[in-house]
Protein backbone atom coordinates (compact mmCIF):
# COMPACT_ATOMS: atom_id res chain seq x y z
CA UNK A 1 0.00 0.00 0.00
CA UNK A 2 1.24 3.49 -0.94
CA UNK A 3 0.17 6.86 0.38
CA UNK A 4 -0.90 9.66 -1.99
CA UNK A 5 -0.75 12.46 0.56
CA UNK A 6 -3.03 11.01 3.22
CA UNK A 7 -4.94 8.88 0.71
CA UNK A 8 -4.26 5.15 0.77
CA UNK A 9 -3.60 3.65 -2.69
CA UNK A 10 -3.62 -0.08 -3.41
CA UNK A 11 -3.03 -1.96 -6.68
CA UNK A 12 -4.71 -5.28 -7.44
CA UNK A 13 -4.75 -7.62 -10.43
CA UNK A 14 -8.12 -9.34 -10.92
CA UNK A 15 -8.54 -12.46 -13.06
CA UNK A 16 -11.81 -13.14 -14.88
CA UNK A 17 -12.14 -16.07 -17.29
CA UNK A 18 -8.44 -15.99 -18.09
CA UNK A 19 -8.35 -12.22 -18.50
CA UNK A 20 -6.17 -10.05 -16.28
CA UNK A 21 -7.57 -6.67 -15.25
CA UNK A 22 -5.15 -4.32 -13.50
CA UNK A 23 -6.86 -2.07 -10.97
CA UNK A 24 -5.97 0.65 -8.49
CA UNK A 25 -8.04 1.83 -5.53
CA UNK A 26 -7.89 5.13 -3.64
CA UNK A 27 -9.24 5.81 -0.17
CA UNK A 28 -11.18 4.01 2.52
CA UNK A 29 -12.82 0.71 1.47
CA UNK A 30 -15.71 1.46 3.84
CA UNK A 31 -16.65 4.59 1.85
CA UNK A 32 -19.22 4.51 -0.99
CA UNK A 33 -17.46 2.95 -4.01
CA UNK A 34 -16.99 4.62 -7.39
CA UNK A 35 -15.59 2.73 -10.39
CA UNK A 36 -14.04 4.77 -13.22
CA UNK A 37 -14.16 3.49 -16.82
CA UNK A 38 -11.86 5.29 -19.27
CA UNK A 39 -12.29 5.68 -23.02
CA UNK A 40 -10.81 4.37 -26.24
CA UNK A 41 -7.14 3.36 -26.26
CA UNK A 42 -6.67 4.94 -22.83
CA UNK A 43 -5.45 3.18 -19.71
CA UNK A 44 -6.52 4.12 -16.21
CA UNK A 45 -3.72 6.71 -16.12
CA UNK A 46 -5.99 9.03 -18.12
CA UNK A 47 -8.07 9.41 -14.96
CA UNK A 48 -5.88 12.09 -13.35
CA UNK A 49 -4.32 11.10 -10.03
CA UNK A 50 -5.59 14.34 -8.48
CA UNK A 51 -9.19 13.60 -9.50
CA UNK A 52 -8.97 10.16 -7.86
CA UNK A 53 -7.35 11.59 -4.74
CA UNK A 54 -9.88 14.42 -4.39
CA UNK A 55 -12.82 12.02 -4.77
CA UNK A 56 -11.26 9.78 -2.12
CA UNK A 57 -10.74 12.80 0.16
CA UNK A 58 -14.52 13.39 -0.17
CA UNK A 59 -15.18 9.97 1.39
CA UNK A 60 -15.45 7.94 -1.78
CA UNK A 61 -13.66 4.65 -2.42
CA UNK A 62 -12.35 5.15 -5.97
CA UNK A 63 -11.39 2.28 -8.28
CA UNK A 64 -9.82 2.87 -11.68
CA UNK A 65 -8.56 0.12 -13.98
CA UNK A 66 -6.95 -0.70 -17.30
CA UNK A 67 -9.51 -1.91 -19.81
CA UNK A 68 -8.51 -4.83 -22.01
CA UNK A 69 -5.78 -3.92 -24.52
CA UNK A 70 -4.53 -1.04 -22.34
CA UNK A 71 -1.96 -0.68 -19.59
CA UNK A 72 -1.16 -3.84 -17.66
CA UNK A 73 -4.40 -5.67 -18.45
CA UNK A 74 -4.61 -8.51 -20.97
CA UNK A 75 -3.62 -7.59 -24.53
CA UNK A 76 -4.81 -9.29 -27.72
CA UNK A 77 -3.30 -9.55 -31.20
CA UNK A 78 -3.79 -6.33 -33.13
CA UNK A 79 -6.91 -6.64 -35.26
CA UNK A 80 -8.23 -9.67 -33.32
CA UNK A 81 -9.63 -8.48 -29.99
CA UNK A 82 -11.66 -11.59 -29.20
CA UNK A 83 -14.05 -9.64 -26.95
CA UNK A 84 -17.12 -7.43 -27.28
CA UNK A 85 -18.46 -4.34 -25.54
CA UNK A 86 -20.60 -6.75 -23.52
CA UNK A 87 -17.42 -8.38 -22.21
CA UNK A 88 -16.09 -4.96 -21.18
CA UNK A 89 -19.32 -4.35 -19.28
CA UNK A 90 -18.97 -7.71 -17.53
CA UNK A 91 -15.37 -6.80 -16.59
CA UNK A 92 -16.78 -4.01 -14.41
CA UNK A 93 -18.91 -6.54 -12.51
CA UNK A 94 -15.91 -8.85 -12.15
CA UNK A 95 -13.88 -6.01 -10.64
CA UNK A 96 -16.64 -5.22 -8.16
CA UNK A 97 -16.68 -8.90 -7.20
CA UNK A 98 -12.91 -8.92 -6.85
CA UNK A 99 -13.19 -6.08 -4.35
CA UNK A 100 -16.08 -7.72 -2.51
CA UNK A 101 -18.53 -4.99 -3.56
CA UNK A 102 -22.20 -5.60 -4.29
CA UNK A 103 -22.88 -2.21 -5.93
CA UNK A 104 -21.04 0.94 -6.96
CA UNK A 105 -21.47 4.37 -8.49
CA UNK A 106 -20.29 3.99 -12.11
CA UNK A 107 -18.46 6.77 -13.95
CA UNK A 108 -17.55 6.43 -17.63
CA UNK A 109 -15.81 8.76 -20.05
CA UNK A 110 -16.15 8.72 -23.85
CA UNK A 111 -16.09 5.04 -24.92
CA UNK A 112 -16.09 4.26 -21.21
CA UNK A 113 -19.44 6.06 -21.09
CA UNK A 114 -20.85 3.55 -23.58
CA UNK A 115 -19.52 0.72 -21.42
CA UNK A 116 -21.04 2.35 -18.33
CA UNK A 117 -24.46 2.57 -20.01
CA UNK A 118 -24.17 -1.10 -20.99
CA UNK A 119 -23.31 -2.01 -17.39
CA UNK A 120 -26.44 -0.20 -16.19
CA UNK A 121 -28.61 -1.93 -18.79
CA UNK A 122 -27.16 -5.44 -18.56
CA UNK A 123 -26.30 -5.50 -14.85
CA UNK A 124 -28.69 -2.94 -13.37
CA UNK A 125 -28.69 -4.24 -9.80
CA UNK A 126 -24.97 -3.46 -9.40
CA UNK A 127 -25.27 0.23 -10.32
CA UNK A 128 -26.18 2.93 -7.80
CA UNK A 129 -25.80 5.96 -10.09
CA UNK A 130 -24.26 6.74 -13.46
CA UNK A 131 -21.99 9.66 -14.29
CA UNK A 132 -21.30 9.96 -18.01
CA UNK A 133 -18.51 12.30 -19.12
CA UNK A 134 -18.04 13.44 -22.73
CA UNK A 135 -20.06 10.60 -24.19
CA UNK A 136 -23.21 9.90 -26.19
CA UNK A 137 -26.48 8.12 -25.34
CA UNK A 138 -27.11 4.62 -26.69
CA UNK A 139 -29.78 4.31 -29.39
CA UNK A 140 -30.52 8.03 -29.76
CA UNK A 141 -30.64 9.22 -33.36
CA UNK A 142 -30.23 12.64 -34.92
CA UNK A 143 -27.38 13.99 -32.79
CA UNK A 144 -24.70 16.15 -34.43
CA UNK A 145 -21.49 14.55 -35.67
CA UNK A 146 -17.95 15.45 -34.73
CA UNK A 147 -16.50 18.65 -36.14
CA UNK A 148 -15.11 18.43 -39.67
CA UNK A 149 -11.63 19.14 -38.36
CA UNK A 150 -11.81 16.25 -35.92
CA UNK A 151 -13.23 13.92 -38.57
CA UNK A 152 -10.28 14.70 -40.84
CA UNK A 153 -7.84 14.09 -38.00
CA UNK A 154 -9.58 10.82 -37.09
CA UNK A 155 -9.28 9.51 -40.64
CA UNK A 156 -5.52 10.02 -40.39
CA UNK A 157 -5.43 7.15 -37.87
CA UNK A 158 -5.65 4.79 -40.85
CA UNK A 159 -2.25 5.97 -42.07
CA UNK A 160 -0.41 5.74 -38.73
CA UNK A 161 2.40 3.19 -38.53
CA UNK A 162 1.18 1.39 -35.41
CA UNK A 163 4.45 -0.53 -35.19
CA UNK A 164 6.34 2.72 -34.57
CA UNK A 165 6.33 4.12 -31.03
CA UNK A 166 7.30 7.54 -32.37
CA UNK A 167 4.42 7.57 -34.88
CA UNK A 168 1.94 6.45 -32.23
CA UNK A 169 3.09 9.10 -29.76
CA UNK A 170 2.90 11.82 -32.41
CA UNK A 171 -0.65 10.80 -33.37
CA UNK A 172 -1.80 10.69 -29.75
CA UNK A 173 -0.28 14.10 -29.11
CA UNK A 174 -2.16 15.54 -32.11
CA UNK A 175 -5.30 13.81 -30.85
CA UNK A 176 -5.00 15.40 -27.40
CA UNK A 177 -4.63 18.83 -29.03
CA UNK A 178 -7.62 18.23 -31.32
CA UNK A 179 -9.81 17.19 -28.38
CA UNK A 180 -8.91 20.22 -26.26
CA UNK A 181 -11.52 22.79 -25.36
CA UNK A 182 -11.46 26.57 -25.54
CA UNK A 183 -11.76 27.41 -21.84
CA UNK A 184 -8.11 26.74 -20.94
CA UNK A 185 -4.90 26.67 -22.97
CA UNK A 186 -3.88 23.20 -24.11
CA UNK A 187 -0.70 21.96 -22.39
CA UNK A 188 1.23 19.88 -24.94
CA UNK A 189 4.04 19.17 -22.48
CA UNK A 190 1.65 17.65 -19.94
CA UNK A 191 -0.06 15.65 -22.71
CA UNK A 192 3.29 14.40 -24.01
CA UNK A 193 4.37 13.31 -20.52
CA UNK A 194 1.11 11.40 -19.95
CA UNK A 195 1.34 9.70 -23.35
CA UNK A 196 4.94 8.66 -22.68
CA UNK A 197 3.99 7.32 -19.25
CA UNK A 198 1.08 5.37 -20.73
CA UNK A 199 3.13 3.91 -23.58
CA UNK A 200 6.07 2.99 -21.35
CA UNK A 201 3.76 1.11 -19.00
CA UNK A 202 1.99 -0.98 -21.64
CA UNK A 203 3.70 -4.13 -22.95
CA UNK A 204 1.94 -3.52 -26.29
CA UNK A 205 0.35 -0.26 -27.33
CA UNK A 206 -0.67 -1.05 -30.90
CA UNK A 207 -3.27 -3.57 -29.67
CA UNK A 208 -5.22 -0.67 -28.15
CA UNK A 209 -6.43 -0.03 -31.72
CA UNK A 210 -8.68 -3.08 -31.17
CA UNK A 211 -11.04 -0.63 -29.50
CA UNK A 212 -11.81 0.78 -32.95
CA UNK A 213 -13.59 -2.49 -33.78
CA UNK A 214 -15.87 -2.15 -30.74
CA UNK A 215 -17.18 1.21 -31.92
CA UNK A 216 -18.13 -0.29 -35.27
CA UNK A 217 -19.87 -3.38 -33.94
CA UNK A 218 -23.65 -3.64 -34.02
CA UNK A 219 -25.02 -3.31 -30.50
CA UNK A 220 -28.07 -5.30 -29.40
CA UNK A 221 -31.20 -3.38 -30.34
CA UNK A 222 -32.60 -3.87 -26.85
CA UNK A 223 -29.93 -1.68 -25.25
CA UNK A 224 -31.44 1.80 -25.11
CA UNK A 225 -30.40 4.60 -22.79
CA UNK A 226 -34.10 5.40 -22.28
CA UNK A 227 -34.39 2.16 -20.29
CA UNK A 228 -31.86 3.26 -17.64
CA UNK A 229 -33.60 3.85 -14.32
CA UNK A 230 -30.67 4.92 -12.14
CA UNK A 231 -29.97 8.65 -11.65
CA UNK A 232 -27.75 9.85 -14.53
CA UNK A 233 -25.43 12.84 -14.48
CA UNK A 234 -23.97 13.89 -17.83
CA UNK A 235 -20.85 16.05 -17.56
CA UNK A 236 -20.11 17.62 -20.93
CA UNK A 237 -17.90 20.35 -22.33
CA UNK A 238 -19.66 22.93 -24.45
CA UNK A 239 -16.72 22.89 -26.91
CA UNK A 240 -16.40 19.09 -27.24
CA UNK A 241 -15.33 18.46 -30.87
CA UNK A 242 -15.98 14.69 -30.81
CA UNK A 243 -19.42 14.63 -29.19
CA UNK A 244 -20.94 18.12 -29.38
CA UNK A 245 -22.75 19.20 -26.23
CA UNK A 246 -26.12 18.15 -27.71
CA UNK A 247 -25.05 14.57 -26.91
CA UNK A 248 -24.84 15.47 -23.23
CA UNK A 249 -28.12 17.38 -23.39
CA UNK A 250 -29.83 14.32 -24.87
CA UNK A 251 -29.45 12.40 -21.61
CA UNK A 252 -31.76 14.89 -19.89
CA UNK A 253 -34.39 14.38 -22.57
CA UNK A 254 -34.46 10.58 -22.79
CA UNK A 255 -33.44 9.36 -19.32
CA UNK A 256 -36.12 9.36 -16.67
CA UNK A 257 -33.79 10.80 -14.02
CA UNK A 258 -31.09 12.65 -15.99
CA UNK A 259 -29.21 15.89 -15.31
CA UNK A 260 -26.55 17.80 -17.25
CA UNK A 261 -23.53 19.64 -15.87
CA UNK A 262 -21.96 21.82 -18.56
CA UNK A 263 -18.24 22.57 -18.50
CA UNK A 264 -18.23 25.94 -20.23
CA UNK A 265 -15.63 25.87 -23.01
CA UNK A 266 -14.61 22.34 -22.04
CA UNK A 267 -13.38 19.91 -24.67
CA UNK A 268 -13.28 16.13 -24.83
CA UNK A 269 -10.90 15.88 -21.91
CA UNK A 270 -10.46 16.13 -18.17
CA UNK A 271 -8.47 19.34 -17.98
CA UNK A 272 -6.37 19.89 -14.87
CA UNK A 273 -8.13 23.20 -14.23
CA UNK A 274 -11.58 21.57 -14.39
CA UNK A 275 -10.88 18.77 -11.91
CA UNK A 276 -12.28 20.59 -8.86
CA UNK A 277 -15.53 21.34 -10.71
CA UNK A 278 -15.87 17.76 -11.96
CA UNK A 279 -15.18 16.32 -8.50
CA UNK A 280 -17.84 18.53 -6.92
CA UNK A 281 -20.39 17.45 -9.51
CA UNK A 282 -19.63 13.73 -8.98
CA UNK A 283 -19.63 14.02 -5.19
CA UNK A 284 -23.01 15.81 -5.24
CA UNK A 285 -24.45 13.21 -7.63
CA UNK A 286 -23.23 10.25 -5.58
CA UNK A 287 -24.27 11.70 -2.19
Amino acid sequence: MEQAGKIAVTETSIEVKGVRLQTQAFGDPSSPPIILIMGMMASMLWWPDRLCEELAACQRYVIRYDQRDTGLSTHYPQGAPGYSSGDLAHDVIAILGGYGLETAHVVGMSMGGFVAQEVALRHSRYVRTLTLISTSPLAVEGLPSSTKAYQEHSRAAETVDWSSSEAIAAFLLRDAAMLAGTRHPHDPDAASALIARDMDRAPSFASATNHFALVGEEGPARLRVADIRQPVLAIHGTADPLFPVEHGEAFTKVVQNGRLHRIEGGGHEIHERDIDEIVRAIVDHTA
Side-chain angles (χ1 to χ4, degrees), residues 142-148 150-151 240-247:
L143 295 173
S145 3
S146 308
T147 63
K148 289 184 178 179
Y150 190 79
Q151 289 180 44
D240 189 328
L242 178 55
F243 295 124
V245 70
E246 288 87 351
H247 291 249

Side-chain angles (χ1 to χ4, degrees), residues 221-287:
R222 68 180 182 277
L223 292 185
R224 302 183 313 129
V225 69
D227 294 328
I228 292 175
R229 293 294 172 256
Q230 294 90 343
V232 172
L233 171 66
I235 299 177
H236 217 103
T238 61
D240 189 328
L242 178 55
F243 295 124
V245 70
E246 288 87 351
H247 291 249
E249 292 169 348
F251 287 104
T252 68
K253 299 172 182 176
V254 297
V255 177
Q256 190 175 39
N257 191 0
R259 294 187 301 113
L260 173 65
H261 181 96
R262 289 179 176 84
I263 303 289
E264 292 301 328
H268 193 84
E269 60 182 345
I270 298 178
H271 196 285
E272 168 67 22
R273 297 188 189 179
D274 294 329
I275 287 177
D276 292 346
E277 181 178 346
I278 292 169
V279 166
R280 283 195 301 272
I282 294 173
V283 168
D284 288 347
H285 183 60
T286 59

Side-chain angles (χ1 to χ4, degrees), residues 146-224:
S146 308
T147 63
K148 289 184 178 179
Y150 190 79
Q151 289 180 44
E152 291 175 7
H153 158 74
S154 186
R155 283 192 289 270
E158 299 173 6
T159 65
V160 173
D161 178 2
W162 293 100
S163 66
S164 164
S165 296
E166 293 79 8
I168 294 171
F171 175 77
L172 294 176
L173 190 57
R174 290 195 302 275
D175 193 58
M178 292 295 300
L179 291 171
T182 58
R183 184 180 190 177
H184 310 297
H186 174 61
D187 186 343
D189 292 337
S192 181
L194 176 57
I195 290 163
R197 185 179 167 210
D198 201 15
M199 292 182 66
D200 288 346
R201 183 167 166 269
S204 163
F205 202 87
S207 64
T209 59
N210 286 332
H211 289 176
F212 294 152
L214 300 180
V215 174
E217 73 179 12
E218 289 294 327
R222 68 180 182 277
L223 292 185
R224 302 183 313 129

Side-chain angles (χ1 to χ4, degrees), residues 1-11 24-34 36 49-64 99 101:
M1 179 181 292
E2 305 170 24
Q3 296 289 330
K6 295 182 180 179
I7 302 298
V9 182
T10 59
E11 190 136 347
Q24 195 173 51
F26 295 73
D28 182 350
S30 67
S31 295
I34 292 178
L36 305 176
D49 293 350
R50 187 164 74 82
L51 179 138
C52 299
E53 292 162 8
E54 287 195 9
L55 284 170
C58 292
Q59 287 72 57
R60 300 293 185 272
Y61 185 49
V62 181
I63 300 168
R64 64 179 181 179
Y99 277 88
L101 299 170

Side-chain angles (χ1 to χ4, degrees), residues 37-38 65 67 84-92 106 108-121 130 132 135 138 214:
I37 313 170
M38 191 29 80
Y65 71 100
Q67 293 214 72
S84 67
S85 62
D87 293 318
L88 297 186
H90 185 265
D91 289 347
V92 176
V106 178
M109 178 165 181
S110 195
M111 187 188 85
F114 292 111
V115 175
Q117 291 173 71
E118 197 156 343
V119 173
L121 290 164
L130 275 181
L132 304 169
T135 193
L138 292 173
L214 300 180

